[in-house]
Amino acid sequence: MQLNPAQRQAVDIKDGPALVVAGAGTGKTKVIVERLLQLLKDGVPASQLLALTFTEKAAGEMQNRVADISLGSALDMTIATYNGFGADLLKMYGSEYGLGSVRLLGETGQLVFLREHFDEFQLEYFAPVSNPDGQLDKLRGYVSLLKQQLVQPDAYEKYAATLPTGDDAEKLEKQKQQELAQFYKTYLKLCRAHNVIDYDDQLFLTIELLKSRPNVLKALQARYRYILVDEFQDTNPMQSAFIDLLAGSSPNLMVVGDDDQSIYGWRGATLANILDFKKRYKNAQEITLIENYRSTQPILDAAYRLIQNNNPERLEVINNLDKRLHAQVGSGPAPCARHFTTLDAELGWVAGDIARRLEAGQAASSLAVLARRSQTVAKIHEALTLHGIDHAIAGLTSELYAQPAVRQLIEALKAVADPLDDLALFHTLSGPLFNLPPDELAALATAARREHAQLNEIIKNSAVTKFQAALQQIEAWRTGSSTQTVGELAYAIIDESGWKNRLYRQAAADTALVKQGQALSQFFRTLKEFERIAGVPSVQHYLLNLPALMAAGSDFEDASLDISDELVNVLSVHRAKGLEWQTVYIVDCTEGSFPLQNRGGQLAVPDALQAVASQADEHMAEERRLMYVAATRAKQELFLSWADRHGSGAPRRPSRFLAELLGSEPIADIAEDNQASLELFAPATTNQSVQTVPLPAAMHDGDKLALSVSQISCWLDCPLDFYYKFVLGIPQPADPRLAYGTVIHAAIEAIHNGRQAGQIPSLEQIAEQVKAALPTTGYATARSRERAHAQALKSVEAIYERFASDPLPLLTEQAFGVILPDTPLKIIGRIDAVYQLEQGVEIRDFKTGTSVTTPEQAKSRATGSKQLTLYALAWQLTHDEMPALLSLDFVETGQLGSVKKQAKSLATMTDKLQTMVEQLQAGNYPPGKDHTFCSHPI
């Protein structure tokens, strides 16, 4: 195979450490494969060669390329992922470290393990009353970060003990860190006691093994005399330490990577590993590959201008290299930026331009559209579908537990496990398992509410045979569940109901159902893992763990959609690394989208405990590297686009990266496309999936619709959820969080009313009022209830101290009912508090919960609050003035998020309400896009 001089120099290195800086499109994989083959030619046994990479796919491709030339050598050579290689070493040598037969905890298993031992962690700071299960995934992720930084539990405890306690903030931070240290230490002990390991342990424990058993380390160093590492810029401290141990004091170690393409800091990677490589290996040879075989020079020059803004934290500066890439292909046009008024028009133009190119004969597989955010990928998919352009979406993930088929099966499991769960029974009977008429079911549910009876009793006493037959089937599953695992029961449900056969038969003609079949398959894999970890794998035990699993979430990737060799490709920039196309569109290049805003909010390992860190890991520097990766995917043409507006939000500014790429500020002329603009007015598709029933009488006030603020907010989020919740009136389960919020609101109102009357109740009276009103059912465990009640009383003390002395509001619990002009809609609601300010009034909505802990989080929540906009609209209609300020007051954390609404915001909301009324009158209930809080099963 023909190699250029720099590639040949790298391939011919035999002994000693080496750093190969391989720029985009310079043939790094070729260098690794050719060096492996060259070492074989030089007489090195294949068994002494080790190549490490990040993915099974990359390892497989490398193995195949070696096998094409030397099959026997490929079989003896070790080419593996870090975790795979570590797992193999633990199997071989774990007994020498006291490890017996261990079970690997996957994502589901780890969450189940944490929840099963929740009380043993003795959490207070990280066990909020609102949703303790929701903390488990954060804690799991934090354990992973600690292991990646090689933090030992004793070191963490010592660090936390030395923290100052000068003021309340420092005291709280010390409590937080001490609790995290204790959690980490307890988790590690529990894992050892129960012979389980997580994915990070495959390296974390291997490193401990090699450090404590030098004889094992020496044997491995003697066996693997030559080590090659791919994508070294993406290693975390744990992976780098593992490599250093294996390499030893006389290393024949070659690492290949490009600091300008490091884009995985969010999963623990640090650039310090590659930037400091020559400090750790002072005699390392260094080869820089700069001959690019992919892109034209104008594209490479633009990318180079961009990445220079990350200086001086780059190898080019640190090691005094020349990393300017030189094109080895023909010339082409300079990258082009296009500007639009709306995101819809922008994506419409991209779709139209692709359609024109396809018509002119350009190959579909030579075109790709890249976006920073998965939401934008989904919008591109919609735009291309509208234009009738066949395309593939690579790696578009969604939440597994939000998939309709999975939601439906979970509801069936709930109905089987709990005969009194009316909500689950309603969903099961109305969904695809039985497909019973929703209008008849709604009538039975109404009768149940009217008679204060359970839904299943009403059905048993009815004369409707098909409903009784369905109940008998559910009862049969319930009987069988006493001897079945949750997975066995779930399979019986989909099989014996006939749903499985119907689903897969219909999937032959409906790609959406293919996706649901795949989602069910992945869900069954999570059930298998639960059964492997849980002591009692029953449906009841599974449902106890379900809140933690759902709070953590699990990505579901549509496996039928992948990189295509025949179609236009649409994908996120992270997915595009290592790929290339003739023409590339990078869309939504606006501040807040690309680069993404660094919102923080995740637990971070304290600086004092970090093994290594680098200024190069800073958020904006990584976002810039991500744009560099995106730009260097293009071979001939690169289009960048941005739009002023995304829906009704605030105007967007063009990405700073556009000026850095182009060498000057992008020209802000509108590159509008008339066809794309016209298509914005195309009728919305309703995706009607339910047989609708008329609106209940309570939603009518004469000739007008009468809806509460919460009902309207539900519609704006998901009309289909509105239909199930408020039209069909599906039974709602007891939710202690909602009841808790009501109790706290009542306490605040009692304090305000008492002060206004001159007779403020005492703290003891308020506490007794709260204690008597707190819910006693709906909690996961008795200890959860005790903790929630204790937290409530603790919160009441802080709330009382504050509201007993804060300025009194002008109005408290102000009810309203306003008519929307020129629209048959009456909006009904109640404002928590109205305060008089110098410049006008402030409308304030009190919120409970402890998840909002920073001013930025509070501001973000207020900005996105539909309820605040509706309150502002109601106030404007009744008082003929705009509120000066609208605020969300998070009373338990003391955070206040405030926004000012402009007349345009109210006009936009009015338009949405008019559309809502039209849809309701037509009986249309299209599903929304975010089903995080939906209660509908499909």
Side-chain angles (χ1 to χ4, degrees):
M1 185 177 289
Q2 189 67 33
L3 298 171
N4 66 44
Q7 290 173 334
R8 171 52 64 189
Q9 183 183 359
V11 166
D12 286 344
I13 294 174
K14 183 175 181 182
D15 297 325
L19 169 63
V20 179
V21 183
T26 58
K28 69 174 181 62
T29 305
K30 181 202 293 189
V31 166
I32 294 173
V33 171
E34 286 297 311
R35 182 166 186 256
L36 288 170
L37 294 171
Q38 184 62 48
L39 288 169
L40 291 173
K41 291 177 184 177
D42 291 343
V44 178
S47 59
Q48 293 184 356
L49 299 178
L50 169 64
L52 294 173
T53 188
F54 277 92
T55 67
E56 295 289 352
K57 181 180 178 182
E61 289 175 352
M62 202 176 292
Q63 191 100 31
N64 289 338
R65 289 172 71 167
V66 174
D68 286 343
I69 300 171
S70 179
L71 178 58
S73 297
L75 295 175
D76 293 335
M77 195 181 299
T78 302
I79 301 177
T81 63
Y82 292 95
N83 279 47
F85 185 56
D88 287 342
L89 294 183
L90 281 182
K91 288 177 184 176
M92 286 188 286
Y93 300 104
S95 59
E96 304 205 21
Y97 187 59
L99 288 175
S101 177
V102 295
R103 292 174 296 163
L104 176 64
L105 295 174
E107 183 177 288
T108 299
Q110 199 173 2
L111 284 167
V112 170
F113 185 79
L114 287 171
R115 195 185 187 283
E116 299 240 309
H117 298 280
F118 189 81
D119 289 344
E120 295 174 62
F121 296 119
Q122 298 182 340
L123 300 176
E124 294 296 335
Y125 186 99
F126 286 98
V129 62
S130 59
N131 186 15
D133 283 327
Q135 301 297 311
L136 295 182
D137 193 48
K138 292 181 181 178
L139 293 169
R140 177 186 62 174
Y142 190 56
V143 166
S144 179
L145 289 177
L146 289 169
K147 289 181 179 179
Q148 289 172 13
Q149 290 287 343
L150 299 173
V151 176
Q152 294 297 326
D154 291 343
Y156 201 161
E157 281 189 327
K158 289 178 182 178
Y159 161 78
T162 62
L163 292 175
T165 56
D167 55 30
D168 288 344
E170 289 181 342
K171 289 176 183 176
L172 197 60
E173 180 63 21
K174 182 167 186 173
Q175 177 196 346
K176 169 184 169 182
Q177 295 299 336
Q178 286 182 319
E179 187 164 295
L180 286 171
Q182 173 231 332
F183 171 82
Y184 184 44
K185 188 171 187 176
T186 304
Y187 172 76
L188 295 182
K189 284 184 177 179
L190 285 169
C191 285
R192 298 296 81 78
H194 291 82
N195 290 321
V196 296
I197 62 172
D198 56 39
Y199 280 114
D200 290 293
D201 280 332
Q202 292 176 326
L203 283 189
F204 188 74
L205 288 180
T206 302
I207 290 172
E208 290 190 353
L209 162 66
L210 298 182
K211 286 182 175 179
S212 63
R213 300 293 184 268
N215 55 323
V216 174
L217 176 59
K218 186 176 181 180
L220 290 174
Q221 289 172 342
R223 176 178 177 181
Y224 297 110
R225 290 179 50 223
Y226 293 89
I227 303 173
L228 290 89
V229 180
D230 189 20
E231 303 283 12
F232 188 64
Q233 77 279 353
D234 291 325
T235 52
N236 60 43
M238 180 171 64
Q239 291 160 340
S240 182
F242 179 56
I243 293 166
D244 289 344
L245 275 172
L246 289 176
S249 57
S250 302
N252 295 319
L253 168 67
M254 175 180 282
V255 299
V256 183
D258 180 13
D259 57 307
D260 292 333
Q261 296 187 76
S262 176
I263 59 174
Y264 294 110
W266 51 275
R267 67 183 190 193
T270 175
L271 264 174
N273 291 336
I274 193 169
L275 296 182
D276 297 341
F277 184 80
K278 290 191 70 176
K279 293 180 182 177
R280 300 201 308 279
Y281 297 93
K282 300 187 184 304
N283 299 323
Q285 300 181 63
E286 187 172 52
I287 299 95
T288 307
L289 307 182
I290 58 175
E291 292 187 19
N292 178 281
Y293 297 92
R294 176 188 299 151
S295 307
T296 62
Q297 198 63 49
I299 292 172
L300 297 178
D301 288 344
Y304 188 70
R305 275 193 299 269
L306 167 82
I307 207 64
Q308 292 291 295
N309 290 276
N310 275 357
N311 288 340
E313 302 295 333
R314 294 178 58 242
L315 276 175
E316 186 168 40
V317 175
I318 295 170
N319 288 6
N320 192 27
L321 307 176
D322 177 9
K323 290 193 63 186
R324 186 188 297 271
L325 298 178
H326 299 283
Q328 304 299 303
V329 298
S331 61
C336 172
R338 296 184 69 92
H339 173 213
F340 299 86
T341 54
T342 66
L343 181 61
D344 291 296
E346 176 187 349
L347 301 185
W349 174 83
V350 170
D353 193 59
I354 289 174
R356 287 187 285 270
R357 289 170 177 272
L358 295 176
E359 189 174 344
Q362 183 169 348
S365 60
S366 70
L367 297 153
V369 189
L370 309 183
R372 174 66 179 89
R373 304 188 305 158
S374 59
Q375 299 98 311
T376 313
V377 171
K379 285 183 173 293
I380 300 165
H381 164 60
E382 293 173 4
L384 293 180
T385 301
L386 181 66
H387 281 72
I389 298 171
D390 291 335
H391 59 282
I393 311 172
L396 184 60
T397 60
S398 52
E399 168 54 40
L400 174 66
Y401 296 103
Q403 296 304 306
V406 174
R407 289 174 68 105
Q408 183 61 64
L409 184 50
I410 287 173
E411 291 302 302
L413 291 171
K414 290 179 179 178
V416 170
D418 185 359
L420 302 182
D421 192 335
D422 284 356
L423 175 60
L425 178 60
F426 189 104
H427 286 161
T428 302
L429 295 176
S430 64
L433 286 171
F434 295 104
N435 282 314
L436 296 176
D439 53 344
E440 295 180 36
L441 188 55
L444 293 170
T446 300
R449 287 196 304 275
R450 184 175 61 247
E451 299 176 24
H452 303 289
Q454 295 297 137
L455 179 58
N456 63 345
E457 292 300 324
I458 294 294
I459 293 175
K460 285 179 182 177
N461 295 328
S462 73
V464 188
T465 306
K466 54 192 171 186
F467 281 90
Q468 292 178 343
L471 272 187
Q472 289 173 2
Q473 176 64 78
I474 292 173
E475 184 59 42
W477 291 331
R478 190 172 293 138
T479 301
S481 69
S482 61
T483 58
Q484 293 174 313
T485 67
V486 63
E488 291 168 343
L489 172 62
Y491 185 82
I493 289 172
I494 67 171
D495 184 45
E496 294 171 12
S497 66
W499 182 33
K500 176 173 67 75
N501 290 337
R502 290 195 303 273
L503 179 65
Y504 289 105
R505 186 170 59 249
Q506 294 165 356
D510 189 339
T511 55
L513 292 179
V514 172
K515 182 176 180 180
Q516 291 313 303
Q518 293 170 343
L520 274 180
S521 296
Q522 182 172 329
F523 179 64
F524 271 94
R525 286 195 291 272
T526 69
L527 295 181
K528 283 294 182 186
E529 187 177 354
F530 167 79
E531 292 176 358
R532 192 165 55 84
I533 298 301
V536 182
S538 66
V539 62
Q540 289 82 5
H541 195 193
Y542 175 76
L543 292 175
L544 280 176
N545 284 276
L546 185 61
L549 299 176
M550 295 185 73
S554 178
D555 281 345
F556 164 63
E557 184 172 323
D558 187 349
S560 67
L561 301 173
D562 205 345
I563 301 298
S564 173
D565 293 330
E566 299 176 353
L567 303 176
V568 175
N569 283 283
V570 177
L571 61 165
S572 68
V573 180
H574 279 100
R575 291 276 178 173
K577 188 175 179 184
L579 304 174
E580 58 186 42
W581 296 272
Q582 290 292 121
T583 304
V584 170
Y585 303 84
I586 307 175
V587 300
D588 194 13
C589 298
T590 58
E591 292 291 318
S593 288
F594 203 173
L596 274 182
Q597 183 179 349
N598 185 14
R599 299 189 181 276
Q602 297 298 314
L603 292 172
V605 179
D607 291 345
L609 293 173
Q610 292 191 22
V612 292
S614 170
Q615 288 296 318
D617 295 328
E618 186 264 333
H619 170 76
M620 194 53 63
E622 177 155 321
E623 288 290 304
R624 186 172 285 109
R625 292 192 293 271
L626 197 57
M627 178 60 85
Y628 178 85
V629 167
T632 53
R633 300 311 94 194
K635 298 167 72 173
Q636 289 288 328
E637 295 178 286
L638 175 62
F639 293 97
L640 305 114
S641 58
W642 88 97
D644 294 329
R645 290 192 176 275
H646 291 192
S648 58
R652 296 288 188 113
R653 290 181 291 116
S655 168
R656 68 193 74 185
F657 299 154
L658 292 178
E660 294 174 4
L661 275 162
L662 302 174
S664 61
E665 289 295 330
I667 300 173
D669 58 334
I670 303 298
E672 203 64 87
D673 182 274
N674 292 332
Q675 179 67 24
S677 300
L678 285 173
E679 283 162 354
L680 301 180
F681 298 95
T685 57
T686 61
N687 192 22
Q688 193 72 36
S689 60
V690 292
Q691 175 189 347
T692 61
V693 299
L695 293 173
M699 288 187 182
H700 293 281
D701 185 355
D703 60 346
K704 296 179 176 60
L705 292 177
L707 301 177
S708 69
V709 167
S710 61
Q711 288 173 330
I712 293 171
S713 296
C714 180
W715 167 275
L716 295 174
D717 285 333
C718 179
L720 187 57
D721 195 41
F722 172 93
Y723 175 72
Y724 270 92
K725 191 177 291 182
F726 298 112
V727 181
L728 289 182
I730 56 175
Q732 294 295 310
D735 188 342
R737 290 173 296 179
L738 297 178
Y740 174 79
T742 301
V743 169
I744 297 298
H745 274 72
I748 296 172
E749 182 181 9
I751 296 170
H752 283 154
N753 290 343
R755 290 182 63 192
Q756 287 171 342
Q759 294 180 328
I760 182 170
S762 66
L763 172 60
E764 290 73 19
Q765 290 173 312
I766 295 293
E768 283 301 317
Q769 171 186 325
V770 168
K771 192 182 299 184
L774 282 171
T776 58
T777 60
Y779 297 97
T781 64
R783 191 173 188 278
S784 295
R785 180 179 63 233
E786 294 168 5
R787 188 167 50 243
H789 286 199
Q791 176 63 43
L793 295 176
K794 187 176 179 181
S795 295
V796 164
E797 293 182 19
I799 289 169
Y800 185 87
E801 182 179 349
R802 172 190 161 187
F803 285 102
S805 58
D806 268 8
L808 269 171
L810 178 68
L811 300 169
T812 301
E813 296 294 328
Q814 181 67 24
F816 63 84
V818 298
I819 307 297
L820 193 66
D822 304 319
T823 307
L825 174 65
K826 182 177 183 179
I827 306 172
I828 303 165
R830 183 181 296 271
I831 297 173
D832 286 348
V834 179
Y835 291 84
Q836 185 65 56
L837 308 177
E838 290 185 9
Q839 65 272 35
V841 300
E842 174 194 7
I843 290 176
R844 192 174 293 189
D845 192 34
F846 298 124
K847 296 291 185 184
T848 54
T850 56
S851 61
V852 175
T853 57
T854 67
E856 293 77 18
Q857 289 174 320
K859 174 81 172 179
S860 175
R861 288 278 296 273
T863 301
S865 172
K866 300 176 182 68
Q867 285 188 313
L868 287 183
T869 305
L870 289 167
Y871 291 151
L873 178 60
W875 187 269
Q876 196 270 339
L877 291 173
T878 53
H879 295 81
D880 198 27
E881 67 175 12
M882 283 280 288
L885 211 58
L886 296 135
S887 303
L888 292 183
D889 189 336
F890 297 90
V891 295
E892 291 186 274
T893 60
Q895 299 298 330
L896 185 70
S898 301
V899 293
K900 294 181 179 179
K901 293 290 182 183
Q902 305 298 323
K904 190 169 184 180
S905 298
L906 302 193
T908 299
M909 176 59 75
T910 299
D911 290 342
K912 291 180 178 179
L913 296 180
Q914 290 170 341
T915 299
M916 177 190 73
V917 170
E918 292 171 3
Q919 294 278 59
L920 285 172
Q921 290 174 332
N924 291 333
Y925 301 93
K929 294 184 178 179
D930 179 10
H931 299 271
T932 307
F933 302 104
C934 289
S935 56
H936 64 81
I938 60 175

